[in-house]
Amino acid sequence: MAPQVGLFIPCYVDQLYPQVGIASLKILEHFGIDVEYPESQTCCGQPMANTGCTNEVVPLAKRFLEIFKSYDAVVCPSGSCVSMVKHHYDEYFSENKEYDELKAKTYELCDYLTSVLEIKTLAGRFPHKVGLHQSCHGLRELRLASSSELVKEPFGPARELLESIEGLEVTQLQRADECCGFGGTFAVAEEAVSCMMGEDRVHDHEQAGTEVLTALDMSCLMHLDGIIRRQKKPIRVMHISEIFAECL
Amino acid sequence: MPSHPKLANEFVKDKERAKWHDQSLWFVRSKRDKAVHQLPEWELLREQASKIKSYVVSHLPDLLEEFEKNAKAKGVHVHWARDAKEHNEIVHSILKQHQVKRVVKSKSMLTEECHLNPYLERHGIEIVDTDLGEWIVQLQDKPPSHIVMPAIHIKKEEIGELFHEKLGTEKGASDPQYLTESARQRLRQKFIEADAGITGVNFAIADTGGFVVCTNEGNADLGTSLNKLHIACMGIEKLIPRASDLSVFLRLLARSATGQPITTYSSHFHGPAPDSELHIVLLDNGRSEIADSDEFRRSLNCIRCGACMNTCPVYRRSGGYSYSNTVPGPIGSILGAAHDTKANSSLPFACSLCASCTDVCPVKIDLHHQLLTWRKEIRLKGLLPLSKRLSMKMMSWMMQAPRLYQFVGKMARKIVPYLPRFLVYNPFNAWGKQRELPDMPKQSFREWMKQNHDRK
């Protein structure tokens, strides 16, 4: 029997980007996974945690564990929210076996595809120049690709998946993995710096010839898309799951 | 003290300058990348350095005693200062004893931390910073904006103007060669006239009682060889246990700081020169308190290379002065918060949590985690602004009630698309100043699932 996956759709994706949830579901089902979307889920608590409001996270972390503990795996199309659950819930659960299990079985979508389902290539065609924005939490907390600061063998399964798609060319950036400047509440509290960072990221993609800008996180893309549309740049923004789903 | 966002906003307003600042520092970061990739053992070195420094911080009292004993045996005068005030008084008393009127100093962030220059000037002693960048900011009567490149924020044309005014160089000159030569001539004179030299300390070695000062301009050597009194000022965390540990740090420091294989001068001081006096002032100034804290102890591993500043996308775009702290950038936000949490409560939030600082740090300080921990402390201490506290409380409350969350989402999706633009993009909407809001979809994912995919 196919393992039962609990689909974890971040709150803002649920509300603002339903197509990313739909694409994620479509991909998992395409590969024969039995997916369930637990309806009582809301938010993992990352905005509160990143603001230092620990007390406000506790009930959300406990809810999250209750909702997702019974699945064989939890899969989410966001490195950032997965990193919250895997790396920042520890302080709310001391020696909790159920949490330790949850931590081990929670995956970012591309990570689940490549490391659990061992999918190395995708069929389909996507004849575009695609710019991959390396979202920081997936990159430097979950280690879903090699970061430019470290002296290690370069790797990047999500990029390899993209490159396996016919006609798809991944563009070369001058700053391979610099932050886009979203940073949750940072985007509002430090608006000036946040927007300058975003503008610089967009510019790097522009000079690289990016037609479609993608990432493992919709939050970075929400910020970059906001800038792209305000400045009327000819770049289309798609979550990586949307590209994959289009190729199925 | 003005908050980081406020000062950063000012800096970013001059977009061309902010861009230039970002690019100058990114250039250094790129040089660093090239230099570290030449060493296949880089990550091993980092691991080794991190272990040595963690050992030092957890054995500080013993190692300091060992250092003191060995330094004294070499004829060094060792002084202990609890805080900045004591530090300055000790330095002053030594200078007074020797009737010193003029001092040359090689760059030392510790003396910046203690505000030694204005203190000595108030007591009628001339003190000249001999590191070129540091001297430039001293001529401007400003502090350094970066711990390794103190004048990285100043353009060469501005230096030309400053030198014209202060040193009488040609008006409008901006040729670095010409300006550096003029500075060199003037500094030579200062070296010759000085009665004492003050230096910082990069590494003090417990098992020999010696210490090492790293400079690129050789100014520490000039300042200490040309006269008979040398005072070295160091933070108590600058220790390493053995002389044999030094190679690890000398390989890491310059590569991380500027992308050089090693600093041009790594000067070793093991006791005073003949007929000279060597003093060392060991400063605590809150360091032992940090060493006692499980959460922040690792910040004392810092060897002040500045790599976290060069890589920090926020520092690069907001400039060193936006931190209002002697040490800016990621490490400065941690140390600043430890030193005066209230005054520096906006600093741990001047960070997008991108974690590049953590990966670049040669001694593996988990900088972004410590910044996050500081945010918690700030909340616990009641220093988080009411607006943030309330909005997070309300958001948490809503997220604990799935029906309420769904209702609020649905209302927003229904109402926002029909609102006139000026109502959505108003001065209270910081998101919308330079960015569009996402288009509101017709239904949420949850609603779509109910309609199209419900199997229950």
Side-chain angles (χ1 to χ4, degrees):
Chain A
M1 217 178 89
Q4 201 186 24
V5 160
L7 188 59
F8 161 27
I9 297 295
C11 48
Y12 72 99
V13 171
D14 170 37
Q15 293 296 328
L16 299 172
Y17 300 102
Q19 74 276 16
V20 174
I22 297 168
S24 306
L25 179 76
K26 196 174 153 193
I27 295 162
L28 288 169
E29 289 189 336
H30 171 84
F31 289 110
I33 305 296
D34 177 16
V35 184
E36 190 173 286
Y37 173 70
E39 257 208 34
S40 52
Q41 64 175 298
T42 54
C43 168
C44 64
Q46 187 174 192
M48 302 78 173
N50 286 359
T51 315
C53 298
T54 312
N55 287 344
E56 279 70 30
V57 187
V58 178
L60 296 175
K62 291 199 168 138
R63 275 191 55 138
F64 190 93
L65 178 63
E66 278 313 305
I67 292 167
F68 283 102
K69 67 182 181 191
S70 56
Y71 294 98
D72 297 329
V74 180
V75 176
C76 169
S78 158
S80 187
C81 303
V82 167
S83 152
M84 175 70 194
V85 172
K86 281 174 90 85
H87 293 326
H88 297 279
Y89 270 12
D90 281 286
E91 60 183 294
Y92 312 116
F93 302 106
S94 59
E95 288 181 33
N96 183 322
K97 205 169 152 275
E98 284 176 337
Y99 171 60
D100 291 340
E101 283 170 17
L102 178 78
K103 198 157 104 166
K105 66 187 179 188
T106 303
Y107 298 90
E108 184 278 330
L109 176 69
C110 294
D111 187 27
Y112 187 73
L113 296 180
T114 54
S115 62
V116 179
L117 303 184
E118 296 183 350
I119 295 159
K120 304 285 174 221
T121 56
L122 289 172
R125 211 176 122 69
F126 195 80
H128 298 286
K129 286 187 169 181
V130 172
L132 176 61
H133 173 69
Q134 294 283 11
S135 303
C136 303
H137 290 177
L139 185 71
R140 299 196 190 87
E141 288 230 317
L142 295 179
R143 301 285 174 209
L144 299 180
S146 48
S147 70
S148 59
E149 297 88 5
L150 300 179
V151 179
K152 292 204 166 143
E153 275 301 304
F155 66 98
R159 189 192 176 100
E160 281 164 27
L161 274 185
L162 281 173
E163 280 171 340
S164 75
I165 296 169
E166 198 196 322
L168 191 153
E169 183 195 328
V170 179
T171 54
Q172 288 295 336
L173 301 169
Q174 282 173 1
R175 301 182 185 185
D177 52 19
E178 172 138 289
C179 176
C180 68
F182 172 66
T185 49
F186 177 85
V188 173
E190 290 262 7
E191 187 266 344
V193 176
S194 166
C195 286
M196 187 175 168
M197 285 164 71
E199 225 177 77
D200 288 349
R201 286 323 282 148
V202 172
H203 182 73
D204 201 353
H205 279 282
E206 247 187 325
Q207 62 78 33
T210 295
E211 296 163 15
V212 177
L213 177 58
T214 195
L216 276 55
D217 262 285
M218 206 54 224
S219 52
C220 311
L221 291 175
M222 174 167 75
H223 164 69
L224 293 171
D225 185 49
I227 290 167
I228 287 169
R229 284 192 296 136
R230 175 64 61 89
Q231 300 190 354
K232 302 193 167 50
K233 303 270 187 200
I235 296 178
R236 188 173 154 214
V237 167
M238 285 172 91
H239 187 267
I240 197 162
S241 63
E242 294 179 82
I243 297 182
F244 291 169
E246 245 189 69
C247 293
L248 296 179
Chain B
M1 202 175 287
S3 68
H4 184 273
K6 198 165 180 265
L7 295 169
N9 193 25
E10 291 298 311
F11 191 81
V12 172
K13 257 187 200 156
D14 188 346
K15 219 170 193 170
E16 282 314 304
R17 175 176 279 273
K19 239 190 172 90
W20 166 79
H21 191 262
D22 164 59
Q23 281 163 354
S24 313
L25 287 153
W26 184 261
F27 175 72
V28 184
R29 154 81 211 267
S30 313
K31 264 181 76 187
R32 172 255 172 220
D33 290 354
K34 277 197 201 98
V36 307
H37 278 93
Q38 288 166 349
L39 301 184
E41 70 274 30
W42 181 253
E43 299 303 329
L44 260 169
L45 277 173
R46 287 177 76 220
E47 186 60 38
Q48 187 77 4
S50 167
K51 280 188 182 148
I52 297 170
K53 273 293 180 182
S54 298
Y55 175 84
V56 169
V57 177
S58 54
H59 293 79
L60 256 186
D62 294 343
L63 289 169
L64 282 167
E65 269 180 38
E66 190 187 343
F67 174 74
E68 183 185 33
K69 192 179 93 209
N70 291 328
K72 277 184 171 166
K74 287 194 157 61
V76 182
H77 301 270
V78 180
H79 309 264
W80 298 87
R82 200 184 310 269
D83 54 24
K85 186 169 167 277
E86 271 189 28
H87 168 270
N88 292 350
E89 285 166 1
I90 291 167
V91 173
H92 181 222
S93 73
I94 304 167
L95 294 174
K96 217 160 108 183
Q97 239 174 21
H98 290 78
Q99 296 168 324
V100 170
K101 286 278 161 228
R102 294 183 201 88
V103 181
V104 279
K105 196 176 86 187
S106 84
K107 192 169 100 68
S108 142
M109 288 313 290
L110 189 90
T111 56
E112 288 293 337
E113 175 185 327
C114 296
H115 305 288
L116 179 70
N117 288 13
Y119 177 88
L120 291 182
E121 280 159 7
R122 275 203 303 278
H123 288 84
I125 296 173
E126 184 197 85
I127 179 158
V128 177
D129 277 299
T130 57
D131 171 272
L132 180 58
E134 180 97 7
W135 192 46
I136 291 167
V137 291
Q138 192 189 18
L139 288 176
Q140 283 192 336
D141 209 13
K142 291 261 173 67
S145 76
H146 186 290
I147 61 170
V148 175
M149 298 164 281
I152 188 73
H153 61 292
I154 309 173
K155 295 188 172 183
K156 58 181 194 281
E157 291 78 14
E158 294 162 335
I159 294 169
E161 227 165 278
L162 179 74
F163 279 14
H164 169 68
E165 192 191 313
K166 304 270 179 182
L167 310 181
T169 52
E170 270 174 54
K171 198 172 168 51
S174 65
D175 174 39
Q177 192 85 34
Y178 167 74
L179 294 174
T180 310
E181 186 55 33
S182 317
R184 185 188 167 92
Q185 294 302 336
R186 182 64 67 93
L187 282 172
R188 280 289 143 118
Q189 205 181 321
K190 297 286 180 195
F191 279 121
I192 292 165
E193 289 169 0
D195 320 302
I198 294 180
T199 69
V201 169
N202 286 90
F203 305 102
I205 306 155
D207 77 345
T208 66
F211 62 91
V212 177
V213 181
C214 302
T215 71
N216 273 326
E217 298 163 27
N219 48 323
D221 306 66
L222 272 175
T224 55
S225 325
L226 286 173
N227 49 64
K228 301 213 171 292
L229 178 62
H230 174 189
I231 305 171
C233 304
M234 71 174 259
I236 51 173
E237 84 285 11
K238 286 286 170 99
L239 274 179
I240 55 171
R242 300 168 303 251
S244 55
D245 298 322
L246 194 60
S247 59
V248 175
F249 293 98
L250 289 181
R251 298 186 81 196
L252 287 166
L253 179 68
R255 280 176 202 267
S256 298
T258 54
Q260 294 166 268
I262 195 162
T263 44
T264 316
Y265 300 87
S266 303
S267 310
H268 298 238
F269 297 93
H270 282 74
D275 304 325
S276 302
E277 263 185 40
L278 176 55
H279 293 255
I280 184 150
V281 187
L282 294 150
L283 174 71
D284 186 329
N285 211 22
R287 286 164 174 78
S288 51
E289 213 174 301
I290 302 179
D292 284 340
S293 134
D294 288 338
E295 301 280 11
F296 303 114
R297 180 175 303 134
R298 292 174 308 281
S299 65
L300 293 185
N301 288 10
C302 178
I303 55 171
R304 300 292 191 271
C305 68
C308 62
M309 288 153 217
N310 303 341
T311 206
C312 177
V314 178
Y315 172 89
R316 274 190 263 118
R317 290 173 181 81
S318 59
Y321 293 150
S322 66
Y323 294 81
S324 310
N325 193 47
T326 306
V327 180
I331 185 67
S333 298
I334 295 166
L335 298 173
H339 190 70
D340 184 344
T341 315
K342 193 162 185 229
N344 295 314
S345 67
S346 71
L347 296 188
F349 294 89
C351 160
S352 63
L353 296 172
C354 79
S356 181
C357 51
T358 300
D359 275 3
V360 94
C361 178
V363 285
K364 294 186 114 172
I365 303 171
D366 53 341
L367 290 146
H368 75 291
H369 286 147
Q370 293 198 29
L371 287 167
L372 196 51
T373 309
W374 263 117
R375 294 181 184 189
K376 277 183 233 163
E377 294 276 312
I378 283 162
R379 163 73 181 93
L380 284 176
K381 289 186 170 160
L383 296 170
L384 196 68
L386 186 69
S387 58
K388 275 190 184 173
R389 230 161 55 216
L390 268 183
S391 60
M392 289 304 136
K393 228 184 184 71
M394 278 172 62
M395 190 170 173
S396 171
W397 184 56
M398 180 176 81
M399 292 303 184
Q400 290 170 55
R403 278 162 172 262
L404 175 68
Y405 150 78
Q406 284 166 46
F407 176 75
V408 172
K410 197 177 184 120
M411 284 301 109
R413 279 196 308 280
K414 282 218 177 327
I415 296 167
V416 173
Y418 295 102
L419 290 177
R421 201 172 159 86
F422 74 89
L423 265 183
V424 181
Y425 295 92
N426 62 54
F428 298 103
N429 175 5
W431 179 275
K433 269 191 202 167
Q434 302 181 65
R435 287 167 293 214
E436 292 295 299
L437 288 162
D439 278 334
M440 295 290 150
K442 291 234 154 38
Q443 50 181 192
S444 66
F445 175 67
R446 185 179 316 255
E447 288 163 0
W448 181 90
M449 281 297 275
K450 264 213 175 93
Q451 268 183 20
N452 301 283
H453 200 273
D454 221 345
R455 300 173 176 178
K456 270 176 251 163

